[in-house]
Amino acid sequence: MAKKRMQDLVNIWKDKTITLQLKIKIMKTLVWTVMTYGAEGWNINKKKEKKINSAQMWFYRRLLRISWRERRTDQSILEELNEERKLLNYIKKRKLTFFGHTCRSKCTLMKNILQGRMEGKRQRGRPRINYFDNIKSWTQMTTREIYDVILERDVWRQMVHEAVRAANVLGSDAG
């Protein structure tokens, strides 16, 4: 759906009177919102991270009207736009803030679902990455520490900013 939205806005991307910075703001407002709809509930593994990053680069290439035949690297496109890969960090921030919000609420069913507490036996084989595994890996905290921090909204908000900032630093080193 986000790719369809990006293609629907082709007249804006072709317009020479609109500045590049304004086009980026339009893309983030109109396309990223469609892309990240419901992202608070996603389980993010390495495969999904690659898809999110490749979708972001596809958006940037369409914005600049660069064909895949031009064989431009992602880094050269990011440098031309003076941007960084931020879509995945945006999703992480939304997911962490949503998790804090739901854990502070009184709804026990939602808490049990997010924590992965289900009745019955688990399936054979390696357990899949679940919602709570993402939270623990991004915050670098134990379960007990997470629940202690969540109760204090300001401390949790600071923890979310630190986790996203750390992910941003790691992403720029790897990319």
Side-chain angles (χ1 to χ4, degrees), residues 24-37:
I24 291 172
K25 286 182 182 180
I26 291 170
M27 181 191 65
K28 287 180 180 179
T29 305
L30 298 177
V31 179
W32 282 19
T33 53
V34 174
M35 171 77 180
T36 60
Y37 180 76

Side-chain angles (χ1 to χ4, degrees), residues 118-129:
M118 295 297 190
E119 294 181 12
K121 293 183 176 181
R122 73 170 190 87
Q123 295 178 347
R124 288 178 46 189
R126 179 178 174 210
R128 292 184 177 168
I129 290 178

Side-chain angles (χ1 to χ4, degrees), residues 63-75:
L63 181 111
L64 293 173
R65 296 185 300 146
I66 296 173
S67 171
W68 62 272
R69 287 183 239 133
E70 291 182 34
R71 296 205 160 291
R72 298 255 322 261
T73 63
D74 292 347
Q75 193 61 36

